[in-house]
Amino acid sequence: MSWSRVWSRANNPDAYVVQVGFGGFDQGYGAALLSDGTLLSWGNSTMVAGHADPGTTMVVADHVVELAPNFYGVSYLRRSDSPTATGHELWGYGPANYALGNGREPVLVDTDVISFQSGMGFNFWMRLAEDGSFDGVYGRGYNAQGAVGLNSSGTPQTGESTRRLIQFP
């Protein structure tokens, strides 16, 4: 039976595919979000830690509410386990370049995230403070043209893979 038949609504009404995407340019892996919040990955087994067989799917995460594959990796919002959270957890994985996770193992990038968007090697997200007020817009990733903001001298901070608050003029 083909993969698409296994995860269709007709064959698996409790966990069917609601979104798919590729996991990185020229990297050879993909991701799918199921209706029950499970995140699957398949393809190039060297791109996801613990994934031994590229021909089979692997569960990467649970409680996922939004998936955003991008040019260099996969990012996703996961429902927080914390009862005091004001938003979701932002996670990422992919090749060790400018993916949110900056590596094969999915990593927590930020908490209390309410919205995010992936670009070509970079990501933006909005987060809330503990009191529920707006905390700011953050970014991480490849920044050759200044999409993730400028450094103190007013030029793009290139090759950046750290989280930073985006300052607006």
Side-chain angles (χ1 to χ4, degrees), residues 3 18 23 29 72 79 134:
W3 183 84
V18 294
Y29 69 107
Y72 287 113
R79 189 177 71 237
F134 180 69

Side-chain angles (χ1 to χ4, degrees), residues 61-161:
D62 60 1
H63 305 295
V64 175
V65 295
E66 189 175 344
L67 169 65
N70 68 43
F71 198 72
Y72 287 113
V74 174
S75 50
Y76 57 93
L77 286 182
R78 184 182 180 275
R79 189 177 71 237
S80 176
D81 293 329
S82 170
T84 61
T86 55
H88 301 292
E89 297 172 344
L90 177 60
W91 289 76
Y93 68 93
N97 46 28
Y98 301 106
L100 265 179
N102 208 25
R104 297 175 33 215
E105 192 73 40
V107 295
L108 178 63
V109 176
D110 207 348
T111 59
D112 296 321
V113 175
I114 57 169
S115 175
F116 79 117
Q117 182 65 47
S118 296
M120 190 171 147
F122 61 89
N123 295 268
F124 292 121
W125 62 95
M126 297 185 333
R127 68 183 311 273
L128 298 175
E130 288 182 14
D131 66 0
S133 64
F134 180 69
D135 182 49
V137 176
Y138 289 79
R140 178 175 174 174
Y142 183 65
N143 195 36
Q145 303 300 319
V148 185
L150 305 176
N151 59 25
S152 59
S153 66
T155 59
Q157 180 70 40
T158 60
E160 184 170 279
S161 61

